[in-house]
């Protein structure tokens, strides 16, 4: 994958041209989460078989596997500007969040406090802080330099959460029917905006994320529909469906870095792509996944994305004369 491209404009045609570049079968079970480093040169995955797999994208190869057999590993994130550590939540033993050095495979810090499974981890895009949400109906604010929770807000139901691209505001999706927006500097005063939005299908919200331009909010669900809202008014901009999810799996949707497209994997192993400008589907890409695509992320710096089931697949655009 040494030919990954930066600074190329995404278009409908470029997205339709994406092909599988490499597929790695480093896991025996489902990949739970994938994350790119901020510079786009590294990726990390977590999986149900308690593995953390590291990838060097410039070299185009996996560079190591770490294990979390005692605690399990669910959600995983690179901190802001850091390639050598990760923060992850567990799916065994307890609900403590862990801060791990990738260079010597030692824990730097533990973040105890949640009393139920963590539903979201969101790293600040500007500093060494992060958010977590949990089935214990709290959203917690942390600083990597301290094990103590820096702030907590209780929600009126099960939350998911995410920072905005400037790290000043965070969104909490609450009880799968409302989005609350908080000012990080005054979160203890409660949300400054509240948007209710109901899907036509019964579903649980599984992930909430802002577009990079800060204008849109994407809600992933387990119900065969995803939705894009205005980050300013809460108005429904688009509702996307037509991808397979009959088993009500938690499938991850994402924006492309230019905020112009939304992507999601499906139960049948294909990737569906829509335009956020006109709401039209622009591509369906078949990566020959042997199972449902549980994780999907677009690289923040380079023209590549990753989709994962039990295997992890990296994609690149296929260039021809019409695209030059």
């Amino acid at each position: 994958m040494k030919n990954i491209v930066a600074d190329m404009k995404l278009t409908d045609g470029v997205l339709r041209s994406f092909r599988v570049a490499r597929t790695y079968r480093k896991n025996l079970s489902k990949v739970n989460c994938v994350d790119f480093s901020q510079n786009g040169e590294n990726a990390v995955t977590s999986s149900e078989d308690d593995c953390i797999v590291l990838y060097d994208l410039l070299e185009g190869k996996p560079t190591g596997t770490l294990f979390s057999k005692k605690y399990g590993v669910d959600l995983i994130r690179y901190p802001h500007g850091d390639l050598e550590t990760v923060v992850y939540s567990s799916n065994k033993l307890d609900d403590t969040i862990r801060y791990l050095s990738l260079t010597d495979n030692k824990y730097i810090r533990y973040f105890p406090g949640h009393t139920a499974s963590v539903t979201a981890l969101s790293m600040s895009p500007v500093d060494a802080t992060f958010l977590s949400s949990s089935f214990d109906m709290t959203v917690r604010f942390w600083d990597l330099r301290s094990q103590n929770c820096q702030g907590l807000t209780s929600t009126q139901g099960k939350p998911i959460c995410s920072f905005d691209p400037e790290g000043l505001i965070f969104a909490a999706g609450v009880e799968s029917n409302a989005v609350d927006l908080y000012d990080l500097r005054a979160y203890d005063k409660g949300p400054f905006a509240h948007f209710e939005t109901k899907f036509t299908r019964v579903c649980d919200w599984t992930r909430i994320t802002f577009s990079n331009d800060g204008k849109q909010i994407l809600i992933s669900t387990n119900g065969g529909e995803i939705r894009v809202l205005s980050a300013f008014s809460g108005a429904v901009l688009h509702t996307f469906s037509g991808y397979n999810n009959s088993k009500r799996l938690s499938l991850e949707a994402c924006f492309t870095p230019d905020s112009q497209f939304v992507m999601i994997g499906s139960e049948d192993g294909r990737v569906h792509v829509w335009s956020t400008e006109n709401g039209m589907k622009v591509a369906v890409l078949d990566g020959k996944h042997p199972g449902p695509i549980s994780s999907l992320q677009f690289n923040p710096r380079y023209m590549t994305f990753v989709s994962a089931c039990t295997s992890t697949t990296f994609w690149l655009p296929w260039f021809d004369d019409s695209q030059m």
Side-chain angles (χ1 to χ4, degrees):
M1 283 171 48
K2 295 182 181 181
N3 60 337
I4 56 176
V5 179
D7 302 323
M8 178 181 173
K9 181 177 174 59
L10 274 175
T11 64
D12 295 7
V14 169
L15 280 163
R16 284 192 287 268
S17 80
F18 269 83
R19 300 291 185 270
V20 171
R22 298 277 177 86
T23 295
Y24 300 100
R25 294 174 176 85
K26 305 291 288 184
N27 301 107
L28 300 175
S29 303
K30 175 178 76 76
V31 173
N32 290 326
C33 189
V34 60
D35 194 41
F36 286 104
S37 60
Q38 194 171 22
N39 66 3
E41 296 178 4
N42 298 82
V44 62
T45 63
S46 61
S47 62
E48 284 292 302
D49 54 7
D50 308 328
C51 291
I52 297 170
V53 182
L54 312 176
Y55 295 89
D56 183 323
L57 301 187
L58 297 186
E59 291 296 324
K61 63 183 183 182
T63 57
T65 300
L66 307 177
F67 298 95
S68 180
K69 291 190 177 296
K70 181 177 181 181
Y71 304 112
V73 54
D74 188 14
L75 303 172
I76 193 164
R77 299 283 184 262
Y78 284 106
H80 169 70
D82 195 343
L83 305 177
E84 298 181 347
T85 66
V86 290
V87 175
Y88 74 87
S89 63
S90 302
N91 50 18
K92 292 181 179 179
L93 196 63
D94 62 27
D95 303 299
T96 296
I97 298 167
R98 292 172 170 82
Y99 183 24
L100 177 68
S101 167
L102 299 176
T103 55
D104 56 13
N105 195 22
K106 292 181 179 179
Y107 293 112
I108 301 169
R109 195 159 287 115
Y110 299 87
F111 303 100
H114 283 303
T115 58
S117 298
V118 173
T119 59
L121 284 178
S122 180
M123 312 311 291
S124 169
V126 296
D127 60 27
T129 61
F130 70 96
L131 294 169
S132 62
S133 59
S134 165
F135 282 122
D136 64 15
M137 296 193 291
T138 66
V139 177
R140 291 175 180 260
F141 176 61
W142 309 88
D143 190 308
L144 288 172
R145 296 162 291 193
S146 171
Q147 69 172 7
N148 299 317
C149 177
Q150 305 295 298
L152 178 150
T153 184
S154 296
T155 57
Q156 300 300 309
K158 294 175 290 188
I160 49 178
C161 66
S162 179
F163 271 110
D164 84 325
E166 295 182 347
L168 298 175
I169 291 168
F170 69 89
V174 181
E175 201 59 26
S176 299
N177 61 32
V179 176
D180 289 334
L181 297 183
Y182 295 80
D183 186 325
L184 192 61
R185 297 157 295 188
Y187 63 87
D188 54 332
K189 296 180 180 178
F192 66 83
H194 175 84
F195 311 136
E196 293 189 6
T197 181
K198 297 190 182 299
F199 285 74
T200 56
R201 304 178 189 182
V202 176
C203 63
D204 296 321
W205 297 6
T206 56
R207 189 168 184 264
I208 190 168
T209 184
F210 283 87
S211 58
N212 276 347
D213 62 9
K215 297 179 180 179
Q216 303 168 87
I217 294 173
L218 174 62
I219 299 170
S220 302
T221 80
N222 66 357
E225 287 183 326
I226 55 178
R227 180 165 287 177
V228 179
L229 306 179
S230 165
F232 304 111
S233 68
V236 177
L237 302 178
H238 305 290
T239 299
F240 300 127
S241 59
Y243 58 94
N244 291 347
N245 192 11
S246 62
K247 297 179 181 177
R248 294 178 57 83
L249 303 174
S250 177
L251 304 178
E252 183 178 32
C254 70
F255 285 107
T256 53
D258 60 5
S259 309
Q260 299 301 304
F261 300 92
V262 162
M263 313 173 70
I264 191 170
S266 65
E267 191 177 75
D268 61 8
R270 297 189 295 174
V271 176
H272 297 249
V273 188
W274 295 267
S275 165
T276 58
E277 181 180 1
N278 58 30
M280 300 296 292
K281 183 174 285 188
V282 301
V284 179
L285 307 171
D286 190 355
K288 307 300 182 185
H289 277 281
I293 297 175
S294 51
S295 298
L296 179 75
Q297 281 294 309
F298 208 102
N299 191 302
R301 300 294 182 198
Y302 293 94
M303 189 66 69
T304 180
F305 71 88
V306 62
S307 57
C309 56
T310 53
S311 59
T312 301
T313 294
F314 292 87
W315 302 69
L316 289 172
W318 180 265
F319 299 106
D320 57 35
D321 292 341
S322 67
Q323 295 165 347
M324 301 300 288

